[in-house]
Amino acid sequence: MSPEADELTCTHEPDFPVAVLRATGRLDFATVPTLRNAAQKALTDHPEVLLIDVSQLHTADDITLTAFPMLARQGVDTGTDVLLVGPGRHLHDQLERLGIARQVPVHRDAETALAAHARLPGPRRMEIELGPEPDATRLARDLVDRACQQWKVAPVADTAALIVTELVANAVEHAGTPIQVSVALRNRHLHLAVRDESPLPLERSGGEDEEPGRGLLIVEGMSSAWGCARTAGGKVVWATLRLQPGR
């Protein structure tokens, strides 16, 4: 076995709603932190699905595979489904023998994984397609208000409306492309996402006399987490709000 085979490399392919993490090499007690750190970083983008490609992963110690259920539990906290794809025969047998396959879905490839995932009940979601017009912010607020009332999470409605206003205003002003706004109710969070077709970095959404970054400062200050990820056709900016216990 070559020295390189004893190393573990994790390649993150961010996208929304599906992100991919490719783990290549040897998983052992020394390299588990590499896998864990890479997966946790991928989860910070709050994708709906994180596919962990283990087709090039091998391990000499079964116990290291318990890292995957831990990552799946972290995914639950962020509203992300974690799926394993492409294990070889030996690794597949290890996952079955340890019962890990009962805790983390395992599929032969990404296509099969996504097809199976699509058949599962998903988070409650509302979406709207908007043009880059001034009225877009009002329509986005209306969508958020309606979703929060319907899903009985009214306590976060005002904050969610303010955040989506800033994100959509930013897209109208700086992207100038069609905009897709979605709001989804996940386990412990309300998830807001605004997609446009521009790869340009985010700018401020305020007027000329306001300090740069005012809009994003509002988003950062009022959300539990937020971020931006590239997509095949542009970018998505997302923000989450933690729901009150006992919802």
Side-chain angles (χ1 to χ4, degrees):
M1 185 178 295
S2 66
E4 290 79 6
D6 288 332
E7 299 177 357
L8 179 69
T9 59
C10 294
T11 305
H12 179 208
E13 300 174 7
D15 205 342
F16 193 90
V18 179
V20 178
L21 183 68
R22 302 189 188 279
T24 302
R26 181 185 179 92
L27 184 67
D28 55 27
F29 289 107
T31 60
V32 162
T34 299
L35 172 67
R36 183 174 61 244
N37 292 339
Q40 289 173 342
K41 182 177 180 180
L43 288 172
T44 61
D45 284 340
H46 287 234
E48 294 180 14
V49 181
L50 175 61
L51 300 180
I52 302 182
D53 186 331
V54 294
S55 59
Q56 301 299 316
L57 185 72
H58 60 90
T59 178
D61 195 324
D62 289 356
I63 196 65
T64 58
L65 296 175
T66 59
F68 291 118
M70 180 272 291
L71 294 174
R73 289 192 293 271
Q74 291 185 344
V76 169
D77 290 338
T78 62
T80 300
D81 291 326
V82 176
L83 313 178
L84 303 182
V85 297
R89 181 62 179 271
H90 179 65
L91 179 56
H92 185 275
D93 289 346
Q94 288 178 298
L95 295 169
E96 289 286 348
R97 185 171 62 252
L98 291 178
I100 291 174
R102 294 193 296 270
Q103 304 175 64
V104 189
V106 180
H107 299 276
R108 66 175 181 268
D109 53 39
E111 182 178 348
T112 303
L114 293 178
H117 184 266
R119 293 192 292 268
L120 298 175
R124 282 177 279 182
R125 174 187 303 279
M126 291 187 184
E127 295 181 342
I128 190 172
E129 300 281 347
L130 302 171
E133 306 293 339
D135 200 39
T137 53
R138 180 186 62 80
L139 295 173
R141 285 195 302 272
D142 290 345
L143 176 74
V144 169
D145 287 342
R146 185 167 67 254
C148 289
Q149 292 298 326
Q150 181 172 320
W151 298 335
K152 301 186 186 306
V153 292
V156 300
D158 289 345
T159 302
L162 180 56
I163 290 172
V164 82
T165 296
E166 295 296 338
L167 296 181
V168 171
N170 213 11
V172 168
E173 182 177 357
H174 299 289
T177 70
I179 301 163
Q180 182 184 65
V181 179
S182 66
V183 53
L185 184 63
R186 298 186 178 178
N187 296 307
R188 300 185 181 94
H189 297 85
L190 188 73
H191 187 82
L192 307 170
V194 176
R195 307 182 204 189
D196 62 52
E197 298 174 9
S198 170
L200 298 175
L202 293 174
E203 303 288 348
R204 62 188 176 94
S205 62
E208 294 182 356
D209 295 331
E210 293 176 322
E211 296 181 1
R214 173 186 175 277
L216 294 186
L217 287 175
I218 291 174
V219 173
E220 181 178 13
M222 303 194 76
S223 60
S224 302
W226 78 279
C228 180
R230 294 186 183 92
T231 67
K235 68 175 179 295
V236 59
V237 190
W238 56 266
T240 61
L241 288 171
R242 184 175 293 277
L243 301 175
Q244 295 179 352
R247 173 185 62 82

